[in-house]
Amino acid sequence: MSRRPCAVVTGASRGIGRAIAIGLAEAGYDIVANARSYNPDDLSRGLAETGERVMELGAAFHPAAADIADLTTHERLLRSAIDRFSGVDLLVNNAGIGTRVDFLETTPENLDRVVGVNLRGAFFLTQCFARHMVERAERGEAIRPAIVFITSISADTSSPTRAEYCVSKAGLSQLAQICAHRLAQHGVNVYEVRPGIIETDMTAPVKQRYDALIDEGVVPQRRWGTPRDVARAVAALARGDFEYSTGGVFEVSGGMNIKRL
Ligand code: NAI
């Protein structure tokens, strides 16, 4: 029997990461799902619930609790994936946090916290996994080796009440370019997926405000994005449909990328 590819998805306990884990299981991947915590006794939520959905699809599942901002966890996360599935074929950097505080009021602590997860954590996690993926690709063992960064339209859209978040996502977008450039020679493709306004727990506190903005036309396709919209884009990249497009930036924003008059 041929080996199934293995995907590691960070921040997979809910929202977009959960949908990506399920979408990749549908696409034939075994899944290592990360989040800050894991409670195996509560199958109704969190990583355990994601695992139930993944295994219903016939994929193998391995939960890996780790705080991505804590660089000492990265090697352990990689090792657990290798021990369980022999190696990693796809890394999806999805874990992220936000803030909602005006630029004139924000603090160094806010910046450090958001950048610590969204950028610094993802930077060194990717470095750790990329070393493994390069070795594996060169041994000819990897299946379509790739790294996907979930950034945001905030990578190039200003929101003065989320300055830390926007700055972290702009940096993450540049990191995707650097990784694509550096890893292309080793056959590891790197992509950036930029979601727009997606209905998750992260956007729940601003639901009414975004409902009104969407009614007014801020999203040309006139609806919220769903976690599934993002997961479908990641699955298309994972399948290799964009094999000759390393470094590509893929918007999943209902047309918010269109400059309008
Ligand atoms: P969410 O808040 O619903 O889920 C975030 C996930 O990341 C959770 O599983 C959480 O446990 C995990 N996480 C947070 N900090 C972590 C850490 N230090 N270590 C490990 N895991 C951690 O968020 P949502 O909406 O699903 O967002 C997922 C990604 O998509 C984030 O990077 C976010 O910035 C990005 N995004 C979201 C958009 C939206 O409108 N919801 C739009 C554009 C981008």
Side-chain angles (χ1 to χ4, degrees):
M1 204 173 73
S2 61
R3 191 179 69 77
R4 290 164 60 92
C6 162
V8 175
V9 184
T10 67
S13 64
R14 64 185 201 183
I16 293 171
R18 171 185 178 276
I20 291 171
I22 294 167
L24 291 173
E26 279 170 357
Y29 280 77
D30 289 331
I31 304 296
V32 177
N34 153 265
R36 274 172 299 201
S37 61
Y38 169 55
N39 176 4
D41 299 327
D42 184 356
L43 299 179
S44 69
R45 68 176 78 186
L47 280 187
E49 192 273 343
T50 303
E52 289 298 293
R53 301 285 85 75
V54 163
M55 289 185 291
E56 278 167 14
L57 294 162
F61 179 80
H62 179 68
D67 179 350
I68 295 305
D70 177 356
L71 308 192
T72 66
T73 66
H74 295 174
E75 196 64 44
R76 183 162 45 81
L77 178 54
L78 173 63
R79 182 51 50 195
S80 75
I82 295 171
D83 289 348
R84 180 70 162 79
F85 295 119
S86 86
V88 177
D89 301 290
L90 173 66
L91 169 66
V92 183
N93 280 301
N94 166 78
I97 57 172
T99 48
R100 298 211 179 253
V101 48
D102 185 73
F103 169 68
L104 295 178
E105 307 298 330
T106 199
T107 61
E109 291 74 24
N110 280 342
L111 180 69
D112 289 349
R113 195 168 59 83
V114 174
V115 168
V117 178
N118 296 6
L119 181 56
R120 186 172 182 269
F123 186 113
F124 286 106
L125 182 77
T126 304
Q127 182 192 61
C128 175
F129 275 65
R131 289 172 176 154
H132 160 75
M133 291 171 79
V134 164
E135 281 175 19
R136 208 167 135 71
E138 293 191 338
R139 287 197 302 268
E141 292 172 6
I143 301 173
R144 300 185 302 279
I147 298 172
V148 177
F149 289 88
I150 307 299
T151 65
S152 166
I153 55 164
S154 297
D156 70 353
T157 301
S158 160
S159 298
T161 54
R162 298 190 302 146
E164 311 85 350
Y165 183 77
C166 295
V167 165
S168 73
K169 292 296 186 178
L172 196 63
S173 174
Q174 173 63 265
L175 178 61
Q177 294 300 299
I178 289 165
C179 290
H181 183 184
R182 178 63 183 85
L183 301 179
Q185 64 195 292
H186 301 288
V188 178
N189 278 5
V190 181
Y191 307 102
E192 175 184 349
V193 172
R194 272 190 192 179
I197 302 175
I198 312 296
E199 194 158 12
T200 68
D201 290 314
M202 183 182 269
T203 46
V206 287
K207 168 117 174 61
Q208 282 185 340
R209 192 158 67 80
Y210 282 180
D211 278 345
L213 287 172
I214 291 168
D215 280 348
E216 288 163 19
V218 75
V219 178
Q221 287 186 250
R222 302 255 171 177
R223 67 167 174 86
W224 281 82
T226 64
R228 176 88 180 148
D229 289 320
V230 183
R232 287 173 64 195
V234 173
L237 295 169
R239 270 197 307 268
D241 293 352
F242 295 89
E243 203 280 325
Y244 197 55
S245 303
T246 197
V249 180
F250 296 83
E251 290 257 355
V252 185
S253 66
M256 290 183 79
N257 48 303
I258 303 165
K259 284 189 183 170
R260 282 161 282 165
L261 182 61

